[in-house]
Amino acid sequence: MERKITIQEEALYKEDYQIRMLKANNLNGILKMGGRGINENSYYDYDVSGKISVKAMFERSKITAKDIKMFLRNIKNVIREVEIFLLDINCILLNPEYIFYEDGKYFFCYYPLARQDLWEEFHKLTEYFVKQADYQDQECIRMVFLLHKKTMDENYSLDKLIAECMQNPEEEKNRVDEKDMDDIEDGCTVGDWITEQELGSAVMRESDHLWKPVKKLLNKRRKSKWGDWDGLHIEEEDLTKE
């Protein structure tokens, strides 16, 4: 049984260099894609057989530190793979509906008509991580807090950020400067999503200076939500193999 998702765009279909490259090669971590045009619309079909979207997966369970580390390794490799084939990394979709998982690996949609900035989209994804994180997992809290904070910086380095996230937690605790964390407190919105109920009593008892900024931010509880994806229409259909 084959399963696919389709992204539809109101634009004339053009088979350019990107489409030909994707059809001729199997890019590691990129979903196999097919493009077609009907009337004045373009349709891009992605094979997601045997896979589950990140959105669906983490509606059933919370994101752990292990999940985030795996994701960071995969997105780094996918960006490198796309660059090797001289494709535009800004066409990698980072909305949870368009990221899929199978057998310990994440897969991404490459959408040739995407009009976005990868670094801005990655920051939006960190907001989703904060919202869906397992707050009983202290390493997970450290990572989502770091990811969200650092991606608010202009022209941040994704490679450096991933390397920082992969550091040993004890080394990270010793490296973090408490004054620096306090300085960014007013500009950080992690507290918009973290609630005392989600954190649980175990985390709230932490006295280590790494968690003090998180505790302080809990006092600034404001409502926010994961933003909707603009401009794309998704269809899912199951096709029987001929």
Side-chain angles (χ1 to χ4, degrees):
M1 183 75 71
E2 184 181 59
R3 180 170 173 263
K4 70 174 183 177
I5 62 169
T6 299
I7 299 176
Q8 176 184 345
E9 184 94 11
E10 292 183 0
L12 289 174
Y13 177 73
K14 292 176 61 178
E15 188 129 328
D16 59 8
Y17 164 81
Q18 298 179 90
I19 303 297
R20 292 192 293 272
M21 183 64 72
L22 291 167
K23 285 185 174 181
N25 300 276
N26 290 317
L27 276 67
N28 186 28
I30 293 292
L31 292 169
K32 193 67 179 176
M33 186 203 75
R36 54 197 167 91
I38 300 178
N39 297 324
E40 296 183 356
N41 293 321
S42 297
Y43 298 85
Y44 297 87
D45 304 315
Y46 300 86
D47 184 0
V48 295
S49 303
K51 300 174 178 61
I52 183 173
S53 73
V54 164
K55 180 179 179 181
M57 183 165 65
F58 293 120
E59 284 177 353
R60 305 173 186 176
S61 61
K62 291 296 183 181
I63 298 174
T64 66
K66 181 180 178 181
D67 296 322
I68 293 177
K69 288 181 178 180
M70 183 190 305
F71 177 85
L72 293 177
R73 285 192 292 267
N74 288 174
I75 186 62
K76 182 178 179 179
N77 291 337
V78 162
I79 290 173
R80 184 183 299 116
E81 184 84 348
V82 168
E83 289 178 329
I84 288 173
F85 284 89
L86 304 179
L87 296 171
D88 185 357
I89 63 173
N90 293 299
C91 293
I92 302 171
L93 301 185
L94 293 183
N95 185 288
E97 293 184 26
Y98 296 94
I99 304 170
F100 289 80
Y101 175 86
E102 182 185 20
D103 295 336
K105 185 176 179 179
Y106 291 94
F107 296 84
F108 300 82
C109 293
Y110 183 93
Y111 183 55
L113 301 185
R115 297 174 291 272
Q116 60 177 20
D117 178 86
L118 183 72
W119 283 264
E120 290 180 4
E121 295 304 309
F122 187 80
H123 173 67
K124 292 178 184 177
L125 184 62
T126 69
E127 296 177 352
Y128 177 80
F129 288 162
V130 172
K131 182 179 177 182
Q132 298 299 121
D134 179 359
Y135 293 112
Q136 304 302 316
D137 184 340
Q138 295 180 18
E139 172 68 350
C140 180
I141 296 175
R142 179 189 75 86
M143 295 178 72
V144 298
F145 184 72
L146 181 65
L147 285 168
H148 189 274
K149 184 194 84 168
K150 294 292 187 179
T151 56
M152 288 191 291
D153 296 341
E154 187 175 358
N155 299 322
Y156 67 88
S157 168
L158 189 55
D159 281 344
K160 290 181 180 179
L161 179 54
I162 291 175
E164 193 171 353
C165 283
M166 295 299 184
Q167 287 180 352
N168 183 285
E170 292 302 318
E171 294 176 359
E172 177 66 13
K173 288 179 183 179
N174 294 331
R175 193 193 61 79
V176 172
D177 180 83
E178 183 176 354
K179 182 179 182 301
D180 178 64
M181 297 289 279
D182 287 337
D183 287 343
I184 57 87
E185 178 183 335
D186 291 337
C188 182
T189 59
V190 174
D192 293 348
W193 296 279
I194 300 177
T195 66
E196 293 180 8
Q197 291 78 16
E198 288 173 322
L199 281 173
S201 59
V203 176
M204 293 303 292
R205 286 197 298 269
E206 284 292 324
S207 58
D208 168 45
H209 68 263
L210 179 65
W211 309 115
K212 287 181 181 178
V214 179
K215 295 177 187 177
K216 292 177 183 178
L217 289 169
L218 289 173
N219 295 322
K220 299 181 178 181
R221 296 171 60 187
R222 300 187 299 273
K223 293 183 179 179
S224 185
K225 64 180 181 178
W226 167 252
D228 295 329
W229 181 257
D230 296 327
L232 299 181
H233 172 69
I234 182 170
E235 297 175 352
E236 293 192 23
E237 62 181 71
D238 294 326
L239 300 178
T240 304
K241 290 184 178 179
E242 296 182 359

